[in-house]
Amino acid sequence: MIDQVLTATKPALLRAAPKLRSRRASTPVLLTAMVGDTAVLFIAMVLSSWLRFGTSLARFGVGAAAVHWTDYLYRAAFGTLLFILLLPHRKVYDLQGILRMRQALPAILRAALTWLLAFMALSYLLRTGREISRIYVLMAFTLATSGFLLWRALLAQVAASEAVVHRLRERILFVGWSPQATSLARALAADRRNPYEVVGYVPSGEHDRSEPCGLARRLGGAEDLAELLQQQAVDLVILAQLGPSTEETVRVASLCEKEMVDFKVIPNCFEILLSCLQLQSVSGVPVLGVSHLALDYPLNVMVKRAVDLVGGFVGLLLSAPIIAAFGLMVYSEDPGPIIYRQRRLGRDGTPFWIYKIRSMKLDAEKDGKVGWTVKNDPRRLRVGAFMRRWNIDELPQFWNVLSGEMSLVGPRPERPELIKVFKEEISHYNARHQIKPGLTGWAQVNGFRGDTDLNGRVRCDLYYMENWSVLLDFQIMLMTFCKRANAC
């Protein structure tokens, strides 16, 4: 009788019927991805052999006419298996990689390039007869990569539809609340492709008075957590606010382990470079800290520098006539030096001279005040307004790129006088100085140019630092040109 009374007084949320775990619901999608990947790759390999040896292309190449396209079926099977094995499964075969092609794209392209080299090498080492056709390998690489990407783009569209993604999402329960939990909940609510669903939260302890501001329902108290994990079919518990004691944290972690629920902690003591957090063992003791950024590794630095040297040389060569033409216009309007140099801070806060075509009058800062230009700035030359609109005044900075003080892509450098103020007022502002500044950057292509929100600019710069890749650099450069073209 007492048990019946207690059950009747439980909130309706605690009496809800348990649901199947969403991680089980995602299994068919992951299997579909693997089967589809294999089928697309094999079809691409077979199609390549038919195009090479079953069409008029067979007339090209020594001995190609004597090869029947079915003779390459075993190579198609081998190439498909090799491609699948080279795919980094952690990034390509999880919900994040399937729902967000952009996250998986660098991993897929790296695997494709590795496949091209490995397939050629292994085919020569393991050859049993004729040498493999290099035309076939290039065709297989092109068709397999493009076919794979098109198939994955289609799968992402289907999986991201509300009818499907709703069944795939893992159910999150927050324990406690914090500003970081607010940011996470808002980001999940705004992203229809996210693989998570917030079911609610419970306080981290009896003294927890935090509120989620309508972003999550309060499902009960901390004492109800064990029952909520079952009744709400929770997949993931996120400890957003540490309780008053270590014992409380251990209790939540142990409960999740017993109920086979994933357990994660928002590290409130870390607010930047979160993707670089790693748990390391130092003399057998676990230590959580920020690991190296991608651009801390020498190989990545060398690759980025090589791109900068080529891009800087080509950019300076192509822009030299433009610099000369606008230099003459500047001199005719306001005689004096054409090239203007200004002190900026680079990597690790090292000062350097940045070069520009002068766009303002010679006495623009005679009063000693340092600041940004404003709209319709009276100090600006007539030709200077046009140059600033199209960033023509920044073309001499290709020399800064060649000299190694800047990169083609990176956070925009600022003047030391302004940084003294910004680093005190803007959180994490100086963290952007861990890499070289750039001619353009992720902040600029996302609209944070000139006198705009500095907090947004810093967030974009930190995102770039955490997610750097050569492909991201080329994407930013392409977006820079496209944005300027659209401005026409």
Side-chain angles (χ1 to χ4, degrees):
M1 183 67 180
I2 295 178
D3 291 342
Q4 293 176 350
V5 173
L6 290 175
T7 303
T9 58
K10 283 286 184 181
L13 289 172
L14 297 183
R15 300 200 305 270
K19 302 176 182 179
L20 289 176
R21 292 282 186 209
S22 56
R23 68 186 67 179
R24 296 177 185 173
S26 66
T27 302
V29 176
L30 299 179
L31 288 175
T32 300
M34 296 188 69
V35 173
D37 292 350
T38 305
V40 168
L41 290 172
F42 184 70
I43 291 172
M45 303 285 180
V46 173
L47 180 60
S48 300
S49 64
W50 177 78
L51 289 173
R52 176 66 182 96
F53 302 107
T55 66
S56 58
L57 288 177
R59 296 198 301 265
F60 301 94
V62 179
V67 179
H68 194 270
W69 68 271
T70 56
D71 296 340
Y72 266 58
L73 288 180
Y74 76 95
R75 295 185 188 272
F78 172 69
T80 300
L81 177 62
L82 181 62
F83 203 117
I84 292 293
L85 292 176
L86 288 173
L87 286 171
H89 289 223
R90 184 177 62 85
K91 292 185 178 181
V92 180
Y93 292 111
D94 61 10
L95 280 180
Q96 291 278 6
I98 291 174
L99 290 171
R100 291 187 174 91
M101 268 289 293
R102 182 176 170 182
Q103 290 190 4
L105 182 60
I108 294 172
L109 293 179
R110 282 195 296 268
L113 291 172
T114 305
W115 176 90
L116 179 63
L117 299 176
F119 187 61
M120 287 283 288
L122 291 174
S123 296
Y124 278 113
L125 291 174
L126 304 177
R127 65 182 183 271
T128 57
R130 297 185 181 90
E131 292 185 353
I132 189 171
S133 168
R134 285 165 290 186
I135 296 178
Y136 164 77
V137 174
L138 292 176
M139 291 178 66
F141 167 76
T142 304
L143 290 178
T145 305
S146 57
F148 190 96
L149 294 177
L150 287 173
W151 148 248
R152 276 308 189 92
L154 176 62
L155 180 63
Q157 287 296 324
V158 174
S161 63
E162 191 59 34
V164 177
V165 76
H166 179 72
R167 301 177 60 186
L168 300 179
R169 287 183 177 135
E170 294 189 19
R171 298 167 62 81
I172 298 177
L173 176 67
F174 284 97
V175 175
W177 202 260
S178 66
Q180 291 82 3
T182 298
S183 299
L184 176 58
R186 284 177 176 166
L188 293 178
D191 183 7
R192 72 180 185 89
R193 289 179 179 266
N194 86 81
Y196 302 103
E197 175 187 1
V198 178
V199 298
Y201 91 107
V202 296
S204 59
E206 61 180 12
H207 301 291
D208 184 5
R209 298 292 183 267
S210 57
E211 292 292 337
C213 303
L215 293 170
R217 300 177 299 168
R218 175 166 176 167
L219 301 180
E223 68 279 2
D224 300 317
L225 183 59
E227 190 171 355
L228 283 169
L229 295 182
Q230 288 293 326
Q231 298 299 332
Q232 291 296 317
V234 175
D235 297 301
L236 171 62
V237 168
I238 296 181
L239 185 60
Q241 186 178 55
L242 297 178
S245 64
T246 304
E247 289 78 8
E248 179 66 18
T249 303
V250 173
R251 184 187 74 83
V252 174
S254 299
L255 178 61
C256 291
E257 181 183 3
K258 292 175 184 176
E259 299 297 332
M260 294 180 292
V261 173
D262 290 341
F263 173 72
K264 298 185 185 298
V265 179
I266 295 179
N268 295 319
C269 54
F270 294 95
E271 296 185 5
I272 61 171
L273 306 178
L274 294 180
S275 67
C276 297
L277 282 180
Q278 285 189 354
L279 185 64
Q280 299 175 321
S281 177
V282 179
S283 298
V285 177
V287 178
L288 182 67
V290 178
S291 65
H292 293 294
L293 295 168
L295 286 175
D296 288 332
Y297 295 97
L299 180 59
N300 291 338
V301 174
M302 292 172 62
V303 171
K304 186 172 177 64
R305 181 59 182 151
V307 174
D308 287 342
L309 287 173
V310 175
F313 177 77
V314 173
L316 194 61
L317 188 66
L318 296 177
S319 63
I322 303 175
I323 295 173
F326 278 90
L328 289 174
M329 286 187 274
V330 169
Y331 188 83
S332 63
E333 182 177 347
D334 186 32
I338 295 172
I339 300 298
Y340 171 71
R341 68 176 191 171
Q342 197 177 69
R343 208 68 167 164
R344 299 290 177 97
L345 290 190
R347 183 175 185 178
D348 298 326
T350 304
F352 70 97
W353 292 108
I354 194 173
Y355 296 99
K356 295 185 175 185
I357 303 175
R358 183 166 60 89
S359 61
M360 305 187 77
K361 299 175 182 178
L362 287 175
D363 57 354
E365 292 185 348
K366 62 180 180 180
D367 55 0
K369 294 182 179 179
V370 175
W372 281 328
T373 56
V374 296
K375 188 176 181 180
N376 300 321
D377 198 320
R379 303 172 299 167
R380 196 164 50 188
L381 300 173
R382 291 191 302 273
V383 69
F386 180 85
M387 288 193 300
R388 283 179 174 268
R389 179 184 176 189
W390 299 101
N391 300 118
I392 295 173
D393 60 319
E394 296 178 355
L395 290 178
Q397 290 167 31
F398 281 115
W399 175 255
N400 291 112
V401 174
L402 282 175
S403 61
E405 297 157 334
M406 292 178 62
S407 176
L408 292 173
V409 180
R412 285 296 294 168
E414 284 296 347
R415 305 178 68 172
E417 299 86 352
L418 296 176
I419 290 175
K420 287 181 181 179
V421 179
F422 294 159
K423 72 178 182 180
E424 301 295 337
E425 297 180 351
I426 309 298
S427 298
H428 323 309
Y429 186 85
N430 261 353
R432 60 203 293 277
H433 290 114
Q434 294 186 36
I435 62 174
K436 286 182 183 180
L439 283 174
T440 185
W442 187 242
Q444 284 64 46
V445 298
N446 281 281
F448 295 102
R449 297 179 66 251
D451 190 8
T452 53
D453 179 25
L454 286 174
N455 289 291
R457 184 183 302 185
V458 170
R459 285 195 300 271
C460 287
D461 290 337
L462 294 180
Y463 173 87
Y464 172 77
M465 292 166 59
E466 292 184 90
N467 297 277
W468 176 88
S469 69
V470 177
L471 291 174
L472 180 59
D473 274 0
F474 281 113
Q475 176 186 345
I476 292 173
M477 286 186 274
L478 180 61
M479 290 175 68
T480 301
F481 284 114
C482 290
K483 283 183 177 291
R484 298 319 304 166
N486 290 335
C488 295

